């Protein structure tokens, strides 16, 4: 009698048991006409797994849920195979990697991926922590695979089946080449194993993701109008004609407090145009032009340093963090110019910035509305200090090395 696996055919967790079946020769069939969201809500399914999750394996002795447990059951059904190794220590190491795969790899891929797909709340700091944890796990895996073709022993075991199935969703959907290239031994291992005939039969062709899914955009909930109550027909009453009243003039939009400041001889758009159009002799033309235009009575300069640079261990996450900050600064574009430098060739990366704001203080509405502002230490530039003035000049021109370090990237807000 064949074992029945209740799941869709494209589920990476179901694939663990199906691949194990290919290696052991155990007959496992997918439940016919299984529909996610329908079949797993029936009383019959909930009797097998009360929380309604897939996969579930139906056996002559009762149901088994949880994908790793299913893969173990299928493997042990045929005791004369090597998927559990050839000794007690190999068995223990296989289980060790199965636990590692579940808690360090699969869990952190999920914490990174699912919020971006809309299955959980997208919180940038949580994503950063998940990516850092995943990078740490893949680093450990990469070190092990530097001297090992497979996780345990010299042939594929259940540990490889579970690890590669867990990695497959990451490679397919979110782990782009720019991310995985930091782990060349993991790459070699994954593509070697996933292209084995028994894996291909279940997983099909695996192609690596070319881009990271964008996080869901926050859209305001549609406003539903309440149905109007039926009005009683009113008796017609003749009224004396009244002189037409003038329509109330629309209230003027309140001015931004920065628009009420005394006029400044520095025209911000002129500076931004000079910055954008200067292609050569940048120091002599653009930087000199900035200091010629700068009005310390109408504008102020500020250095900012990210408070948590020790957390900047993943290059593209750090770049995305800065990019998000600049997007949220859009409300002050009319009154500001900024440079953000990501400093260092190796993690942790330093994030340091220079900002020019209209007025002698950082605008209050920016401090109130852009939560990133609290993540930085802010220090006003003393332009009478030649060292600080030179630092401003270097940040404007993306001088490299900057304070003795290479630049990973430089971003401009203008």
């Amino acid at each position: 009698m064949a074992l029945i696996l209740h799941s869709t055919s494209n589920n990476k967790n179901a694939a663990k048991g199906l691949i194990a079946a290919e290696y052991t020769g155990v007959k496992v069939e997918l439940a016919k006409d299984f529909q996610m969201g329908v079949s797993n809500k029936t009383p019959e399914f909930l009797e097998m797994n009360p929380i309604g999750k897939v996969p579930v394996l139906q056996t002559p002795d009762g149901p088994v849920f949880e994908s790793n447990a299913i893969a173990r059951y299928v493997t042990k059904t045929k005791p004369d195979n090597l998927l559990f190794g050839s000794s007690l220590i190999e068995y223990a190491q296989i289980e060790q990697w199965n636990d590692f795969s579940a808690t360090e790899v699969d869990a952190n891929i999920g914490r990174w991926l699912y919020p971006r797909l809309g299955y959980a709340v997208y919180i940038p700091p949580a994503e950063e922590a998940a990516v850092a944890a995943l990078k740490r796990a893949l680093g450990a895996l990469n070190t092990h695979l530097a001297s090992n073709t497979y996780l345990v022993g010299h042939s594929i075991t259940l540990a490889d089946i579970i690890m590669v199935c867990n990695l497959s969703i990451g490679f397919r959907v979110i782990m782009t080449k720019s991310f995985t290239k930091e782990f060349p031994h993991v790459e070699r291992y994954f593509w070697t194993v996933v292209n084995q005939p028994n894996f291909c039969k279940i997983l099909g062709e695996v192609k690596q993701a070319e881009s990271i899914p964008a996080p869901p955009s926050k859209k305001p909930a549609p406003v539903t109008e309440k149905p109007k109550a039926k009005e009683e027909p009113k008796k017609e009453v003749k009224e004396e004609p009244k002189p037409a009243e003038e329509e109330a003039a629309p209230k003027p939009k309140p001015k931004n407090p920065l628009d009420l400041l005394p006029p400044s001889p520095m025209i911000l758009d002129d500076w931004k145009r000079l910055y954008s159009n200067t292609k050569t002799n940048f120091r002599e033309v653009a930087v000199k032009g900035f200091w010629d235009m700068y009005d310390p009575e109408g504008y102020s300069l500020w250095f900012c340093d990210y408070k948590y640079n020790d957390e900047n261990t993943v290059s593209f996450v750090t770049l995305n963090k800065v990019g998000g900050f600049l997007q949220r600064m859009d409300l002050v574009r009319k009154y500001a110019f900024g440079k953000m430098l990501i400093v260092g060739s190796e993690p942790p990366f330093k994030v340091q910035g220079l900002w020019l704001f209209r007025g002698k203080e950082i605008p209050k509405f920016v401090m109130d509305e852009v939560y990133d502002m609290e993540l930085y230490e802010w220090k006003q530039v003393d332009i009478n200090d030649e060292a600080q003035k030179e630092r401003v000049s270097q940040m404007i021109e993306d001088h490299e090395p900057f304070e003795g370090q290479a630049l990973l990237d430089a971003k401009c807000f203008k």
Side-chain angles (χ1 to χ4, degrees):
M1 176 185 171
L3 303 171
I4 306 299
L5 188 64
H6 296 261
S7 175
T8 54
S9 59
N10 61 349
N11 184 303
K12 59 97 174 170
N13 287 324
K16 298 171 187 178
L18 293 172
I19 294 171
E22 292 297 321
Y23 276 96
T24 58
V26 174
K27 192 173 181 182
V28 177
E29 294 177 356
L30 282 169
K32 290 180 181 178
D33 304 321
F34 186 90
Q35 285 183 278
M36 192 64 193
V38 178
S39 304
N40 61 314
K41 303 296 183 186
T42 63
E44 295 78 12
F45 187 94
L46 294 174
E47 191 174 334
M48 294 189 292
N49 184 354
I51 60 175
K53 287 188 176 181
V54 298
V56 171
L57 184 69
Q58 193 173 352
T59 82
D61 300 315
V64 179
F65 57 84
E66 293 298 333
S67 60
N68 288 0
I70 291 170
R72 289 186 183 99
Y73 180 92
V74 172
T75 300
K76 281 187 174 287
T77 301
K78 281 285 180 73
D80 57 340
N81 69 78
L82 295 178
L83 288 186
F84 265 126
S86 57
S87 66
L88 181 60
I89 187 62
E90 285 191 353
Y91 168 77
Q93 289 170 343
I94 288 166
E95 291 291 24
Q96 157 197 291
W97 285 111
N98 288 343
D99 288 348
F100 178 90
S101 178
T103 59
E104 303 295 337
V105 176
D106 190 41
N108 286 310
I109 289 174
R111 290 183 188 116
W112 181 16
L113 174 62
Y114 297 139
R116 283 183 170 263
L117 298 182
Y119 299 135
V121 178
Y122 177 72
I123 304 171
E127 176 181 84
E128 184 179 348
V131 173
L134 177 61
K135 183 180 178 183
R136 181 171 176 244
L138 294 180
L141 183 59
N142 194 65
T143 300
H144 177 73
L145 293 170
S147 55
N148 294 277
T149 303
Y150 303 106
L151 291 177
V152 180
H154 302 290
S155 62
I156 286 175
T157 65
L158 186 61
D160 300 301
I161 294 173
I162 289 174
M163 180 68 77
V164 168
C165 286
N166 285 338
L167 284 170
S168 66
I169 190 170
F171 271 87
R172 285 185 197 266
V173 186
I174 199 165
M175 287 163 50
T176 59
K177 177 65 179 175
S178 63
F179 177 80
T180 60
K181 70 180 181 181
E182 294 183 42
F183 314 103
H185 302 299
V186 175
E187 287 185 321
R188 182 268 308 158
Y189 164 77
F190 177 78
W191 295 116
T192 297
V193 176
V194 85
N195 284 304
Q196 297 298 310
N198 288 334
F199 280 79
C200 288
K201 185 174 179 180
I202 303 302
L203 293 174
E205 184 184 6
V206 177
K207 291 184 178 179
Q208 189 161 11
E210 294 182 356
S211 60
I212 297 172
S217 57
K218 292 181 181 177
K219 293 182 181 177
V223 178
T224 53
E225 290 185 9
K226 292 182 180 177
K228 292 181 181 177
K230 265 190 175 182
E231 291 182 5
E232 294 281 331
K234 293 182 181 178
K235 293 179 182 178
E236 191 175 335
V237 179
K238 287 185 180 181
E239 294 182 1
E240 292 292 320
K242 293 180 181 178
E245 293 180 8
E246 287 185 7
E247 288 187 9
K251 291 181 180 179
K253 190 178 178 181
K255 283 193 173 184
N256 188 299
L258 300 181
D259 292 328
L260 305 177
L261 294 174
S264 169
M266 182 178 191
I267 309 301
L268 191 58
D269 284 343
D270 288 352
W271 156 240
K272 291 181 179 181
R273 198 173 300 113
L274 176 65
Y275 176 91
S276 299
N277 294 338
T278 305
K279 306 301 180 188
T280 57
N281 300 323
F282 196 88
R283 170 69 74 130
E284 292 77 12
V285 178
V287 175
K288 181 179 183 301
F290 172 79
W291 290 119
D292 289 344
M293 294 180 185
Y294 181 62
D295 167 29
E297 295 302 314
Y299 286 83
S300 57
L301 283 164
W302 299 81
F303 293 129
C304 68
D305 288 278
Y306 191 64
K307 294 178 182 178
Y308 311 105
N309 282 320
D310 57 328
E311 296 177 1
N312 295 334
T313 56
V314 183
S315 58
F316 78 91
V317 174
T318 306
L319 295 173
N320 287 347
K321 180 191 302 179
V322 174
F325 172 41
L326 296 183
Q327 287 179 355
R328 289 181 282 277
M329 288 293 280
D330 193 64
L331 76 170
V332 78
R333 192 173 298 276
K334 181 181 173 184
Y335 310 101
F337 171 86
K339 291 300 298 282
M340 295 297 293
L341 307 185
I342 299 89
V343 183
S345 54
E346 297 291 335
F349 304 101
K350 292 180 186 175
V351 177
Q352 298 175 315
L354 168 73
W355 286 84
L356 171 73
F357 290 115
R358 182 75 166 99
K360 291 192 174 185
E361 299 291 339
I362 298 174
K364 186 177 183 301
F365 69 90
V366 178
M367 297 299 292
D368 291 342
E369 297 185 36
V370 182
Y371 73 81
D372 309 67
M373 298 295 285
E374 295 181 358
L375 305 177
Y376 291 83
E377 295 283 359
W378 294 89
K379 178 185 175 184
Q380 189 163 7
V381 176
D382 179 2
I383 61 170
N384 296 314
D385 183 330
E386 287 301 321
Q388 290 190 41
K389 192 172 178 181
E390 173 59 21
R391 190 171 192 258
V392 170
S393 298
Q394 290 189 13
M395 296 182 86
I396 291 173
E397 67 171 329
D398 305 337
H399 186 276
E400 192 172 12
F402 179 72
E403 297 180 342
Q405 289 187 281
L407 291 181
L408 176 67
D409 199 5
K411 296 181 181 289
C412 182
F413 176 90
K414 61 184 192 296

